[in-house]
Amino acid sequence: MRWYWIDRFLEFESGRSAKAVKLISMAEDHMHDHFPGCPIMPNSLVVEGMAQTGGLLVCEHTGFQAKVVLAKIPKVQFHLNVSPGDTLTYSAEIDHIDDNGAMVTATSHHGDRLQAEIEFVFAHLNSGQRDRTLFEPETFLKMMRMLGAFEVGHAADGSPLVAPPLLTGKGS
Amino acid sequence: MPTKDEIFQKIRTALVDALGVEDDEVTEEATLVVDLGAESIDFLDIVFRLEKAFEIKIPRGELFPEDILTSSDYVKEGKVTPEGVEELRRRMPFANLDGFAANPNVQDFANLLTVGDMCRFVETKLEVTS
């Protein structure tokens, strides 16, 4: 089982912003317990989906070289509940990024309605903090491909987004 | 070059946003860890906000020299060595370390840094930049 809480990227502008869609389905197991007879998408999983949208954006900016972890959520606000049949669009934007990590702001919309807004701090772990690899490059490559990032994405210069050498194994 | 008050106000905004504290809790004398409840990961958040607010670059360890406090060269049996204290003074001219130097327990170090120290740190950075 993989922990995917977005279904597809709609936009992916390297180093700047990304937009992803999440289709909410009654087939998701947690809907039957959250809550019995009244399925509501857990806000924690909305947060996870927004973090994946922003986190992959940050990872891609470093060529997937940095070990990126979600360090902190300074602010989060939810405006409405969503249920099976609803579609959420997550938009993430990099406010600041450097060798230490990144700040990302993100929103979730249900149609035109603002569903949630959030601020993330991602940290880049240095080698002194963790020696082991958090994810294998193939895992990222598979995620980016499955989520359509290379179909809709653009590099910083506007050219089509391509997998970095680390992921393809050509040059690392 | 912003005035000292402008620097303080921007730092106050950064700390209110990063730590979820009230405006009036952020005084020059307030310590980041004890009074404002900052945890280690908050320092990354605070550094990002300061970099953005003042358009400066703060390398890792410059505001909070964690590398010294975790170094076996500078820390023996839970206390920072005289050489370590000297290095801290060199790296942190904006902070008053006299009290810490008298009894340099590593655990107590995190409790030292005040909002005023942070203001002096930013003032120094801006002077260097300009």
Side-chain angles (χ1 to χ4, degrees), chain A residues 126-145:
Chain A
N126 60 35
S127 55
Q129 289 166 300
R130 292 283 188 281
D131 287 331
R132 69 187 178 88
T133 302
L134 294 177
F135 293 99
E136 294 301 327
E138 306 83 65
T139 306
F140 278 126
L141 185 60
K142 190 176 165 191
M143 280 182 84
M144 292 288 281
R145 279 185 175 149

Side-chain angles (χ1 to χ4, degrees), chain A residues 100 126, chain B residues 43-44 47 51 57-69 87-88 90-94 109 113 121 125:
Chain A
N100 296 326
N126 60 35
Chain B
F43 283 92
L44 183 63
V47 162
E51 287 185 330
K57 181 82 189 126
I58 305 173
R60 180 174 282 185
E62 194 171 278
L63 178 61
F64 193 84
E66 58 199 11
D67 55 318
I68 295 177
L69 302 172
E87 183 64 11
L88 286 171
R90 191 185 68 75
R91 293 261 296 271
M92 302 178 72
F94 51 87
F109 186 82
L113 201 63
F121 170 75
K125 292 288 287 185

